[in-house]
Amino acid sequence: MFFKNDCKSINNYISALIDGELKGRKAYKVKNHLEVCKRCRQEFEIISALKPIAKKIRIEKAPLYLKNRIINSIEESEKKWSFTDLFPAFNLKPVYTFSAVAALLLLAIIPLYYLSANVSASTIAVKSVNNHLSNTIVDIFDEQMPSSRTELERIFDVQGLSWQGISSPKVNLHYLKERRVAYIAFDRKGHKLSMFIFDVNNLKLPEGRIIKEGEKEIYVDKYKGFNVLFWKEGNVGYSMVSDLGGDEMIHFLKYGEGYINQIQKNIELGILFE
Amino acid sequence: MRKKEFEGLALPHIDSLYNFAIKLTRNEGDAEDLVQETYLRAYKFFDKYKKNTHIKAWLFSILRNTFINIYRKKKKEPEKVDFHSVEQFIDKLTDRDNLLSKDDISNDLTKETFDSEIKSALDELPEEFRSVILLSDIEGFSYQEISDVLKCPVGTVMSRLHRGRKMLYKNLSEYAKKMGYL
């Protein structure tokens, strides 16, 4: 088909000729055709001239936290299938009997562990991580609308801040007045760290590990490879999500608390991240 | 050991993969997830990767497969191309007396306004054409490598690239016309 000397079959090879990807007889055929066909020749010229346009396409760089997120998720995945890697031990030498038994034990234990780990991911953890990933509030924390003026409203209810996004190079704030939830995203050593402030109301609290940090009781959870910290003060819940290590997050919490207070104060004063 | 080797080989390509992912998904969150999923799959099948072959092309093919499997299923309608209008575009250009010369184009390209126009022109292309242009003109893959990534014959790469370029330039020519370049 290609060797039929007409435009239709030759035409599609013009770019290949321009890119130097057409060799031998095919290249010769196309070149011959270009000499006799004005239309294809002009097309050749236009495409050659416009090819550099692609170099103007903007190259996007991966955000810095993505690398760590991937390394973490590889570690997580490794835990999941390490026991299957032990399988071949069965058909091998008797020395492997011990590992085979160990593998069987692992087979029994690991799925249980993962089952429970997945089940324990609380609504707060799931919603926090989803919001963290989407960079905004897509999942509302509590479906029920509180009727009375709440603590959160007191903190954020400032004129001009009903549904608003405010940003500075280091901090982003979204506040949904109607739904009483605020989202503050920080940049910490190139990692994104999200903080959500919301009414607790009837929200089911996470179960599982609790660490004490000063007066606070902090719940620790994990979802999709992200660490989620949750604590509450009165009826106000705070959750923090990041791919940073738990220690790093607690550290941020310690000194970051002042930061958050400052944000709240600035909102009241109307300064908002100068 | 396996993990260290994998990370050493694969992670340096994270920026290229992310750039490809964002051009495919057109959205940062999806692009991040797609790149993460790609690395997870690549790590899982790292044993199948043939040592000393082009790992970047191998990663790109996993990314593109993952994209097709996960993201394109979500879409209801297949993407359509109006080839007739593409052909007409070439005719229109060649019919004109004031045909673009190479110099005109390179001067115009220095203008920053072109940046977002190119982005949206590229975004409008159906995925298979967008991919082939990105792999060839941005990543510098050979046709053979592109055919490995896209799992199609080299001849298909040739025609897709050529049609893709024509579509891209056509989308841009409307802008150029509007701004009085053409």
Side-chain angles (χ1 to χ4, degrees), chain A residues 121-136:
Chain A
S122 63
T123 326
I124 291 169
V126 173
K127 291 189 172 182
S128 300
V129 169
N130 288 344
N131 288 339
H132 173 81
L133 285 170
S134 67
N135 271 323
T136 182

Side-chain angles (χ1 to χ4, degrees), chain B residues 40 62 64-66 86 143 145 151 164 167 182:
Chain B
L40 278 176
I62 296 174
R64 208 262 183 170
N65 261 341
T66 311
V86 172
Y143 283 18
E145 284 166 337
K151 310 262 183 305
M167 281 186 258
L182 271 173

Side-chain angles (χ1 to χ4, degrees), chain A:
Chain A
M1 194 175 91
F2 172 72
F3 295 100
K4 253 197 272 166
N5 208 14
D6 67 356
C7 292
K8 272 220 155 65
S9 58
I10 296 272
N11 187 280
N12 280 337
Y13 293 88
I14 289 177
S15 275
L17 186 69
I18 291 167
D19 294 345
E21 287 267 2
L22 214 55
K23 301 268 147 62
R25 217 168 132 200
K26 281 190 182 179
Y28 178 76
K29 277 268 170 192
V30 177
K31 278 181 198 160
N32 268 356
H33 176 75
L34 291 183
E35 273 175 29
V36 295
C37 173
K38 191 182 166 210
R39 192 187 175 281
C40 285
R41 192 165 60 249
Q42 282 176 326
E43 189 168 318
F44 176 88
E45 279 160 13
I46 292 168
I47 302 289
S48 310
L50 289 171
K51 195 186 153 189
I53 277 186
K55 291 276 172 257
K56 293 280 161 183
I57 295 170
R58 205 150 72 104
I59 309 291
E60 309 275 351
K61 277 197 156 187
L64 290 170
Y65 55 80
L66 187 58
K67 200 170 185 171
N68 266 9
R69 207 178 107 185
I70 287 164
I71 292 171
N72 286 344
S73 67
I74 289 174
E75 270 166 24
E76 286 287 309
S77 76
E78 202 155 47
K79 284 185 206 155
K80 276 181 206 168
W81 25 275
S82 57
F83 66 91
T84 55
D85 295 342
L86 287 168
F87 253 129
F90 260 121
N91 347 324
L92 296 173
K93 298 171 197 166
V95 259
Y96 290 110
T97 319
F98 176 74
S99 41
V101 173
L104 272 177
L105 277 172
L106 282 171
L107 269 175
I109 295 162
I110 288 179
L112 275 177
Y113 169 74
Y114 275 95
L115 205 60
S116 61
N118 285 336
V119 168
S120 83
S122 63
T123 326
I124 291 169
V126 173
K127 291 189 172 182
S128 300
V129 169
N130 288 344
N131 288 339
H132 173 81
L133 285 170
S134 67
N135 271 323
T136 182
I137 304 159
V138 288
D139 261 342
I140 304 299
F141 286 84
D142 193 351
E143 304 305 329
Q144 213 162 335
M145 297 276 279
S147 51
S148 62
R149 186 177 156 87
T150 64
E151 184 69 8
L152 187 68
E153 202 172 331
R154 194 189 62 73
I155 296 168
F156 285 103
D157 197 10
V158 178
Q159 274 212 325
L161 192 73
S162 55
W163 193 117
Q164 203 159 344
I166 302 160
S167 62
S168 78
K170 287 263 168 201
V171 187
N172 273 295
L173 168 74
H174 290 257
Y175 176 55
L176 294 170
K177 185 184 177 188
E178 293 303 310
R179 312 308 294 265
R180 295 183 174 79
V181 53
Y183 169 30
I184 309 171
F186 300 90
D187 178 55
R188 170 100 181 124
K189 293 180 183 168
H191 292 254
K192 192 169 82 176
L193 195 140
S194 295
M195 174 106 165
F196 301 92
I197 309 174
F198 45 93
D199 281 337
V200 178
N201 286 327
N202 308 320
L203 213 56
K204 188 174 159 268
L205 299 187
E207 290 163 11
R209 215 147 68 85
I210 300 176
I211 15 176
K212 280 250 178 192
E213 177 57 51
E215 294 285 287
K216 277 192 193 66
E217 285 195 333
I218 302 169
Y219 297 82
V220 183
D221 209 340
K222 218 170 174 141
Y223 182 64
K224 282 189 182 169
F226 292 95
N227 284 316
V228 183
L229 305 185
F230 167 79
W231 67 99
K232 58 179 215 165
E233 281 165 23
N235 199 31
V236 180
Y238 293 80
S239 75
M240 192 190 258
V241 183
S242 182
D243 57 350
L244 285 163
D247 294 351
E248 186 86 15
M249 286 168 75
I250 300 273
H251 178 75
F252 180 83
L253 181 63
K254 257 192 262 176
Y255 91 90
E257 202 174 354
Y259 209 173
I260 290 155
N261 288 339
Q262 205 187 332
I263 290 170
Q264 291 171 348
K265 207 187 282 168
N266 282 345
I267 290 167
E268 281 173 39
L269 296 171
I271 300 171
L272 309 175
F273 314 116
E274 282 184 347

Side-chain angles (χ1 to χ4, degrees), chain B residues 23-144:
Chain B
K23 301 291 191 301
L24 291 177
T25 61
R26 306 178 180 117
N27 156 331
E28 287 169 11
D30 285 346
E32 287 175 20
D33 290 352
L34 180 55
V35 172
Q36 179 172 347
E37 189 59 31
T38 302
Y39 274 107
L40 278 176
R41 288 188 187 197
Y43 184 60
K44 201 170 169 183
F45 299 110
F46 190 41
D47 300 331
K48 297 208 172 119
Y49 161 69
K50 293 184 198 83
K51 295 264 144 48
N52 303 322
T53 61
H54 199 181
I55 191 154
K56 193 174 162 188
W58 183 68
L59 291 168
F60 268 72
S61 78
I62 296 174
L63 186 142
R64 208 262 183 170
N65 261 341
T66 311
F67 172 74
I68 300 286
N69 291 338
I70 298 177
Y71 293 88
R72 237 166 104 177
K73 271 182 196 160
K74 288 185 193 166
K75 292 181 71 178
K76 282 169 199 152
E77 265 190 64
E79 292 173 292
K80 286 177 197 147
V81 201
D82 183 359
F83 277 111
H84 184 63
S85 72
V86 172
E87 295 305 326
Q88 276 185 335
F89 148 71
I90 292 288
D91 286 337
K92 265 186 215 155
L93 277 188
T94 49
D95 284 349
R96 293 182 75 97
D97 298 326
N98 53 346
L99 191 64
L100 284 176
S101 77
K102 271 184 195 179
D103 291 341
D104 289 345
I105 291 155
S106 49
N107 285 339
D108 290 344
L109 287 184
T110 57
K111 292 195 171 65
E112 280 196 15
T113 40
F114 234 77
D115 218 47
S116 66
E117 289 302 323
I118 291 170
K119 190 184 170 298
S120 54
L122 186 75
D123 279 352
E124 277 172 34
L125 296 189
E127 184 275 322
E128 55 266 47
F129 298 98
R130 207 172 343 133
S131 287
V132 83
I133 289 179
L134 286 166
L135 295 174
S136 160
D137 294 350
I138 301 291
E139 296 301 335
F141 284 136
S142 70
Y143 283 18
Q144 183 55 55

